[in-house]
Amino acid sequence: MPLKKSEFLSHVWQDGLFKGKVVFCTGGNGTICSAQVRALVYLGANACIVGRNEQKTLDMAKDLAAQRQGAKVIGIGNIDVRDIDLLSKAAERCAKELGGIDFLIAGAAGNFLAPMAQLSANAFKTVMDIDVLGSYNVTKVCIPYLLESVKKYNSQGGLPKSDTAGPSGRIIYVSATMHYTGMALQTHVVAAKAAVDAISHNVALEYGPLGITSNIIAPGPIAGTEGMDRLGGKLRANERPGQRLPLGRWGSIKEIADATVWLFSDAANYVTGQTTIVDGGAWHVQTGP
Ligand code: HXC
């Protein structure tokens, strides 16, 4: 059966693409995760973002909700992803107030530069706990809701409907690329991100048969992010940001949002257990901060 033009053109990046969908996001105050959620809200989704800082989380939720008339965005502060009970209550509140959880973005991360010998055991453990335990915790508490979402989608014939567009039961972990090559001053982070990737792959294997997809977005150097501000290293005199990278520039948060929309859309129905690297080819030439 040849590909139909109507099938091909009608499902991707259109207004209302995620109408009726709910995304739960950790690290939702961050530059990257808030851009991901913002794009989903523009395209019709409602959202629940959780963060450690209460005021920042509430302010961000308000800002995101203002992006589309009728959008509902809940912000829940004082949530540390290392505490599974807090996350569990947040997911429960999200499902109760927004009607379920269709998509999960596991984006909370901790990072700083430190030579390994000066890294305390507690500092190493802190980043492992935020990144790895945090990813495990939020996956564990969201899986029952994601399964419900898949069930609902399947009972509707698995096709986009005007009131509940697009697929359900999808996870994106926000990872990185530094563990592909190793990176000085980042022992704690490379260990944590490698484990986050492993969790994503395993969720894809374990829950694929139940309809959940699990993928990774690995951002490279993205302009205007806390990660680049704090960890990106110094530019040489007269150097344009990113000029030594294959695409000759740093990336933008829109480019991470685009990858997110793709992975949550019908266009990525057969994609799971994969990493979408959005880095302008940077990891092929990366050397360190
Ligand atoms: C060495 C440090 C340190 C530093 C903290 N520690 N900062 N060690 N160098 N710069 C040590 C502390 O001394 C302590 O160990 C242990 O880490 C725990 O510190 P706390 O401050 O108690 O932990 P906590 O309050 O939980 O803070 C977590 C954090 C912090 C990771 C340390 O930076 C944080 O909350 N970050 C969240 C935001 C964030 O990092 N976002 C960036 C993500 S960007 P001792 O032994 O003293 O008890 C990203 C992508 C990067 O991930 C891409 C780059 C290109």
Side-chain angles (χ1 to χ4, degrees):
M1 182 74 108
L3 182 68
K4 285 187 199 148
K5 186 177 176 188
S6 59
E7 259 177 357
F8 187 62
L9 293 182
S10 61
H11 303 161
V12 183
W13 276 258
Q14 59 185 349
D15 206 13
L17 179 63
F18 296 121
K19 188 175 168 197
K21 297 297 174 187
V22 175
V23 57
F24 186 85
C25 176
T26 64
N29 289 325
T31 326
I32 284 185
C33 292
S34 62
Q36 294 176 289
V37 174
R38 194 176 296 264
L40 300 171
V41 170
Y42 283 147
L43 293 171
N46 292 323
C48 176
I49 59 166
V50 301
R52 272 209 277 173
N53 183 303
E54 170 127 64
Q55 199 53 52
K56 266 194 189 171
T57 310
L58 296 178
D59 290 348
M60 180 61 80
K62 208 168 153 193
D63 179 42
L64 292 169
Q67 302 306 312
R68 178 176 54 76
Q69 205 175 10
K72 289 188 203 149
V73 181
I74 305 171
I76 311 180
N78 296 317
I79 303 291
D80 189 319
V81 293
R82 292 168 282 191
D83 187 330
I84 195 166
D85 293 334
L86 289 177
L87 271 176
S88 178
K89 287 193 185 94
E92 196 182 332
R93 184 176 153 200
C94 171
K96 206 168 163 194
E97 291 184 24
L98 300 178
I101 298 175
D102 303 290
F103 305 139
L104 164 63
I105 298 175
N111 207 331
F112 50 79
L113 299 175
M116 185 172 175
Q118 284 161 39
L119 191 65
S120 71
N122 188 43
F124 181 85
K125 183 176 180 300
T126 297
V127 171
M128 290 296 283
D129 282 353
I130 294 172
D131 291 22
V132 186
L133 184 63
S135 295
Y136 159 80
N137 283 344
V138 75
T139 307
K140 184 175 161 71
V141 305
C142 285
I143 274 181
Y145 301 107
L146 295 171
L147 289 173
E148 272 305 305
S149 155
V150 170
K151 231 193 263 170
K152 199 164 89 183
Y153 174 63
N154 286 343
S155 73
Q156 290 166 341
L159 288 170
K161 298 280 190 292
S162 58
D163 57 343
T164 48
S168 298
R170 297 204 166 176
I171 304 174
I172 291 173
Y173 297 87
V174 182
S175 187
T177 61
M178 57 188 80
H179 50 299
Y180 304 165
T181 53
M183 191 167 283
L185 313 180
Q186 297 272 271
T187 306
H188 43 318
V189 181
V190 296
K193 293 300 193 184
V196 169
D197 288 7
I199 289 175
S200 176
H201 299 153
N202 227 67
V203 170
L205 285 180
E206 216 172 311
Y207 287 93
L210 299 178
I212 291 176
T213 69
S214 174
N215 289 290
I216 295 159
I217 289 180
I222 303 299
T225 57
E226 187 186 341
M228 279 311 281
D229 290 349
R230 293 201 293 122
L231 314 167
K234 296 222 172 352
L235 292 176
R236 295 172 192 154
N238 302 321
E239 185 182 359
R240 200 166 31 79
Q243 77 177 43
R244 283 176 278 156
L245 305 178
L247 286 186
R249 62 175 177 85
W250 286 355
S252 69
I253 51 174
K254 178 182 180 298
E255 286 160 332
I256 305 298
D258 277 331
T260 306
V261 171
W262 172 63
L263 282 170
F264 284 162
S265 77
D266 278 338
N269 279 356
Y270 202 51
V271 179
T272 194
Q274 304 303 316
T275 301
T276 300
I277 303 173
V278 187
D279 76 337
W283 83 268
H284 294 289
V285 296
Q286 74 191 5
T287 52

